[in-house]
Amino acid sequence: MRTPALLLLLLAPVLFAQPRVEYSASKKLFLLRTDSSSYAMGVNPRGEVQNLYWGGPLWRSDDIPAATGGRELSSFDPAQSVINEEFEAWGGTRYLEPAVKITRADGGRDLVLHYASHKIDGDNLSIILKDVVDDIFVTLNYRVFGPEGIIRKTALLENKSKQPIHVESLQSGTWYLPHGEDYRLSYVHGRWAAESQLTREAIHTGTKVLESRKGHTSHNFNPWFAIDDGSASEESGRVWFGALGWSGNWRIAVEQTPYSQVRVTGGLNTFDFAAPLKPGESLESPPFYGGYSENGFGGMSRRMHRFELTDILPHGLQSRLRPVLYNSWEATTFAVDEPGQRSLAEKAAKLGVELFVMDDGWFGKRNNDRAGLGDWTVNPQKFPNGLEPLAKYVNSLGMDFGLWVEPEMVNPDSDLYRAHPDWAMHSTDRPRSELRNQLVLNLARNDVKEYIFEVLDKLATQYPIRYFKWDMNRPFAEPGWENVAEPKELWLKYVKNVYEIIDRLRAKHPNLEIESCSGGGGRIDLGILQRVEEVWTSDNTEAFDRLGIQYGFSQIYAPKVMSAWVTDVPNMNSRSTPLRYRFLVAMQGALGIGANLNKWTAADATMATGMIAAYKQIRGTVQEGNLYRLLSPQAGELTANEYVSQDGKQAVLFAFLHSQQYRQSPPAIRLAGLDPKATYRVQVVGQPNKQDVSGAFLMQSGVTVRLAGDYDSTALLLERL
Ligand code: GLA
């Protein structure tokens, strides 16, 4: 029987699609393929797995030379130093940043991993490495996210030998850049209220370490890197990038060896790290995600954003667009009570707010930051009838109810601490260092974990809570742990237990949403983002500063997860910006209001109502569309970002003028990501006039925005006709 031609044509992409994971037995070579990148490894004649390629897409493995094993350059420069070993164990003649290092009970530390076998299962590849002597195994797991252009690496270390081992380092893997370019590293660093500051610098011989030793992801560095060919720009040039999914101590070492290799090794921080493994036990590394863009840093970010939306966030593409939120913190700080919250809720509802979140101050003796953390019972003076009347009232106004919690912490002035002083992290008989008058609970302990789970579960069961703002307002100190064999395990077990609490809570309360906050952006990474809907970008809500923070944030994370509030002025830096400017800055993420609505004028409320209504029209495009950073706040007086919806039907341009000088008018802004052949109906957000303009003109000649003075701003809405 003949197959109809049409059917063949329809089936072609399926029939002729290349597998995502391919193995060439003759060359002992693995080729992983995403739609936009390829990654190759081979087993050399000595049995070592060598990295062979990472970059733009290749379609046949035939072209890639097999792994040769290299050669010894001198007795000081062994072959292992130059072969790009995929997962370097510390053993034999190896001196580069190792991916795994152990000590056996008998004191032996040498570990030499050779290829043992592999398994391909659809888009997954597992390569099993075994020590040349012992039954110690490392399985390198790769998952190919084809359309998204991302490869995930994890490593599983298994002790099947007869003696216990101590793991001193387990990394998720190493990424190798092609030889011979003048590479440049991009990373973000910062501190409280100044997160996500983007820096680019040349890579030189030596090692640059980005890390956290603070117990949480930290404001200081984010577990992400991008390396470009030295000349990439926002929309052109080659960029290799990667990010870790881990919310505890992490480490990324960017190393240019004297042999001109550029390699990036990342995973669990080795600082003060230890994990004992008895025979039969295993340890898995956190995931390390990597990708490649031929369209510069913009292409990199769009890939990351899409990947987060489809594959990282708890409900992926099924998760709802972020609702417009109101948060009471900056309005009331600790002075919350039922009448005050009711009145704010009424005002918020009238503006169009959809989620009302009561922040700190509702529990225990929490009248300031010196007491109450740990006592998660409703304060009877502030809420004589519990939280139910308020939560129901908020619901009756058409909004969801959300609640602030900081479950990992305790004030020494709390009933919990008085009952369980040993639950706080401490080092025996030594002072306990307080920050913000609080101590960290040792959540690595299973009894503490169970207690915290019960507290949160009870709250979520008792009240109609749709959303927890989960805060964590200080890093670890004195991370001791009495009566356990290895106190250093605290770092690892703490994070695993936090993850477990969230996972169990979400499983039991499927509608519950969570925001990850850690004094602003102290816990933002791909590990926590698998468990929360959004993250608090920064405690700095001052709109001009926010442009810079959001610029750095957007390199890595999608606008949908970026909480952004409109707050009162003057704010940080004593700066005052117009309400419209503050709205337009915050409308580039998940919009929230954090202002004291009791102080707003009727004109403020009218403006806010209009802006919130406009936001609801464009939020799908902003939150889930493609971002083009047209003009960076690092570059000059004018900042511009454009968002194009997935289906291309809508686009929004945001433009901000910092300060005009010499009556200079801003330059035309050339748009991106439009269809040159299509016509767009263009309108200033909030104004009635519309004009039809071709995509070609908008992208080639650009649009002129009428901005003048200081902190002026505008947004253009484009609907494709
Ligand atoms: C942290 C958060 C703020 C607020 C306070 C409450 O600083 O980042 O948004 O919730 O705690 O104490």
Side-chain angles (χ1 to χ4, degrees):
M1 201 177 92
R2 281 176 53 197
T3 322
L6 182 65
L7 189 65
L8 259 185
L9 207 67
L10 287 174
L11 284 175
V14 182
L15 290 177
F16 305 116
Q18 290 188 304
R20 296 284 182 200
V21 181
E22 188 186 316
Y23 178 64
S24 152
S26 59
K27 290 167 94 175
K28 294 195 176 166
L29 189 144
F30 302 94
L31 179 60
L32 310 184
R33 279 193 204 91
T34 78
D35 288 354
S36 50
S37 62
S38 292
Y39 188 93
M41 294 162 283
V43 184
N44 72 27
R46 287 190 299 273
E48 298 150 347
V49 178
Q50 269 180 250
N51 187 277
L52 299 173
Y53 178 80
W54 184 29
L58 303 177
W59 61 276
R60 32 180 254 162
S61 56
D62 300 2
D63 303 332
I64 307 169
T68 61
R71 64 186 176 84
E72 186 176 304
L73 305 182
S74 78
S75 64
F76 295 96
D77 307 290
Q80 280 78 16
S81 291
V82 296
I83 59 167
N84 290 359
E85 200 168 3
E86 178 69 11
F87 195 85
E88 183 160 316
W90 189 68
T93 51
R94 290 173 181 81
Y95 308 97
L96 304 178
E97 189 72 37
V100 54
K101 182 176 183 313
I102 62 157
T103 299
R104 295 176 185 75
D106 67 9
R109 276 123 48 225
D110 189 61
L111 181 68
V112 175
L113 297 173
H114 281 184
Y115 169 88
S117 62
H118 73 268
K119 208 175 90 193
I120 296 173
D121 179 8
D123 298 347
N124 297 289
L125 164 68
S126 301
I127 302 179
I128 297 155
L129 310 175
K130 185 191 165 304
D131 178 58
V132 289
V133 178
D134 293 334
D135 282 343
I136 297 177
F137 294 84
V138 172
T139 303
L140 307 180
N141 289 308
Y142 300 82
R143 163 90 197 267
V144 182
F145 296 88
E148 298 87 344
I150 300 288
I151 291 171
R152 181 184 72 201
K153 294 181 175 189
T154 56
L156 174 72
L157 170 64
E158 290 172 289
N159 180 14
K160 295 184 181 172
S161 78
K162 293 201 170 60
Q163 58 174 324
I165 63 172
H166 230 77
V167 185
E168 285 149 42
S169 167
L170 180 65
Q171 302 302 297
S172 311
T174 298
W175 301 95
Y176 288 90
L177 281 289
H179 256 274
E181 309 255 1
D182 287 329
Y183 286 114
R184 197 165 52 155
L185 171 69
S186 301
Y187 60 99
V188 290
H189 57 90
R191 56 188 157 78
W192 177 78
E195 298 88 339
S196 307
Q197 304 298 310
L198 177 68
T199 292
R200 294 196 210 293
E201 63 197 29
I203 296 179
H204 298 295
T205 307
T207 303
K208 167 126 190 162
V209 175
L210 311 173
E211 65 174 343
S212 166
R213 297 179 178 187
K214 290 182 154 177
H216 64 143
T217 323
S218 123
H219 306 73
N220 298 138
F221 297 96
N222 198 268
W224 164 80
F225 72 89
I227 294 179
D228 73 290
D229 55 18
S231 60
S233 63
E234 191 56 32
E235 293 300 330
S236 72
R238 296 183 299 156
V239 183
W240 293 258
F241 56 92
L244 283 168
W246 187 244
S247 314
N249 283 359
W250 58 272
R251 184 171 191 269
I252 293 179
V254 181
E255 191 182 10
Q256 178 166 314
T257 73
Y259 312 96
S260 304
Q261 298 140 301
V262 173
R263 59 201 298 276
V264 185
T265 306
L268 300 167
N269 202 329
T270 49
F271 177 80
D272 200 41
F273 175 86
L277 292 186
K278 293 197 198 88
E281 291 185 337
S282 62
L283 176 67
E284 190 172 21
S285 77
F288 205 176
Y289 303 91
Y292 170 76
S293 157
E294 260 166 7
N295 312 105
F297 301 107
M300 163 196 75
S301 300
R302 289 189 289 276
R303 246 180 236 314
M304 286 285 289
H305 297 176
R306 186 103 337 257
F307 174 62
E308 289 153 14
L309 296 178
T310 53
D311 301 291
I312 292 287
L313 287 177
H315 299 292
L317 289 178
Q318 264 64 56
S319 68
R320 64 170 173 165
L321 288 177
R322 297 312 305 145
V324 178
L325 165 156
Y326 179 77
N327 179 295
S328 65
W329 173 244
E330 294 195 19
T332 56
T333 63
F334 300 96
V336 294
D337 61 14
E338 196 179 317
Q341 294 295 303
R342 275 178 180 257
S343 142
L344 284 170
E346 284 161 13
K347 294 187 171 93
K350 280 194 195 129
L351 302 176
V353 166
E354 298 155 311
L355 168 62
F356 181 87
V357 183
M358 177 160 68
D359 210 278
D360 201 350
W362 58 267
F363 53 90
K365 298 210 173 59
R366 188 75 171 162
N367 297 317
N368 49 52
D369 63 17
R370 291 188 296 279
L373 278 180
D375 298 341
W376 299 105
T377 45
V378 180
N379 180 303
Q381 279 83 44
K382 295 175 180 176
F383 298 92
N385 302 310
L387 292 184
E388 188 145 348
L390 174 65
K392 287 211 163 133
Y393 186 60
V394 165
N395 289 163
S396 76
L397 293 169
M399 299 183 292
D400 288 326
F401 180 67
L403 194 64
W404 181 94
V405 287
E406 194 179 358
E408 298 155 82
M409 298 291 156
V410 66
N411 284 120
D413 185 1
S414 67
D415 293 341
L416 183 70
Y417 189 75
R418 283 182 280 272
H420 297 285
D422 53 319
W423 281 12
M425 233 174 245
H426 67 279
S427 193
T428 316
D429 298 333
R430 299 196 48 85
R432 302 179 177 198
S433 306
E434 294 175 21
L435 288 168
R436 206 192 189 205
N437 311 303
Q438 63 195 57
L439 297 168
V440 189
L441 290 174
N442 182 1
L443 266 163
R445 288 173 58 141
N446 283 334
D447 52 352
V448 182
K449 173 190 74 183
E450 287 307 322
Y451 177 82
I452 295 302
F453 172 77
E454 275 163 32
V455 163
L456 296 169
D457 178 39
K458 206 169 138 197
L459 283 171
T461 308
Q462 205 173 348
Y463 301 117
I465 295 173
R466 181 76 203 266
Y467 179 98
F468 277 131
K469 174 175 170 184
W470 180 308
D471 213 334
M472 194 240 189
N473 274 315
R474 60 157 292 175
F476 295 10
E478 296 102 22
W481 191 358
E482 283 145 358
N483 308 321
V484 292
E486 181 47 88
K488 291 180 184 172
E489 277 200 283
L490 178 144
W491 300 108
L492 188 66
K493 289 206 166 155
Y494 184 102
V495 181
K496 286 188 174 174
N497 281 351
V498 168
Y499 284 173
E500 186 194 312
I501 295 172
I502 302 180
D503 293 345
R504 277 164 61 190
L505 209 55
R506 295 196 65 119
K508 202 161 163 204
H509 306 276
N511 270 330
L512 184 70
E513 296 180 336
I514 300 177
E515 172 181 18
S516 164
C517 172
S518 180
R523 183 141 69 192
I524 304 174
D525 59 81
L526 294 180
I528 202 71
L529 278 171
Q530 286 185 297
R531 300 172 165 86
V532 302
E533 274 68 20
E534 52 185 290
V535 292
W536 183 221
T537 317
S538 176
D539 277 350
N540 186 344
T541 54
E542 194 283 305
F544 178 61
D545 278 5
R546 260 305 175 101
L547 279 183
I549 293 171
Q550 295 182 179
Y551 174 71
F553 183 99
S554 77
Q555 304 291 319
I556 321 168
Y557 303 110
K560 188 173 184 180
V561 307
M562 183 180 79
S563 303
W565 298 354
V566 174
T567 56
D568 291 326
V569 287
N571 207 294
M572 251 177 237
N573 303 328
S574 308
R575 189 179 285 123
S576 288
T577 55
L579 186 57
R580 181 179 165 80
Y581 182 96
R582 281 175 270 150
F583 258 103
L584 291 179
V585 170
M587 281 161 70
Q588 297 178 94
L591 175 66
I593 317 285
N596 187 351
L597 299 182
N598 298 321
K599 288 196 190 150
W600 274 16
T601 62
D604 290 340
T606 307
M607 151 89 69
T609 311
M611 294 306 258
I612 290 173
Y615 178 71
K616 288 177 182 169
Q617 270 190 334
I618 58 166
R619 70 173 144 191
T621 299
V622 169
Q623 293 183 16
E624 296 186 343
N626 286 321
L627 166 64
Y628 295 87
R629 290 176 295 250
L630 303 178
L631 294 166
S632 142
Q634 291 184 336
E637 296 299 322
L638 189 65
T639 300
N641 292 316
E642 182 195 355
Y643 301 77
V644 182
S645 66
Q646 276 306 301
D647 61 10
K649 286 187 182 152
Q650 192 185 63
V652 196
L653 170 74
F654 292 88
F656 305 89
L657 182 66
H658 177 202
S659 51
Q660 186 187 36
Q661 283 192 294
Y662 319 117
R663 304 186 65 213
Q664 183 101 33
S665 354
I669 302 171
R670 291 173 58 202
L671 300 193
L674 303 177
D675 176 355
K677 296 252 156 37
T679 305
Y680 294 82
R681 187 147 291 170
V682 185
Q683 177 187 10
V684 175
V685 169
Q687 285 178 18
N689 299 346
K690 295 179 182 173
Q691 199 188 338
D692 292 351
V693 191
S694 71
F697 188 85
L698 291 165
M699 292 196 290
Q700 298 301 340
S701 179
V703 293
T704 311
V705 287
R706 281 185 228 295
L707 297 177
D710 295 347
Y711 309 116
D712 200 0
S713 59
T714 190
L716 296 186
L717 174 63
L718 291 84
E719 303 280 1
R720 186 183 161 143
L721 297 179

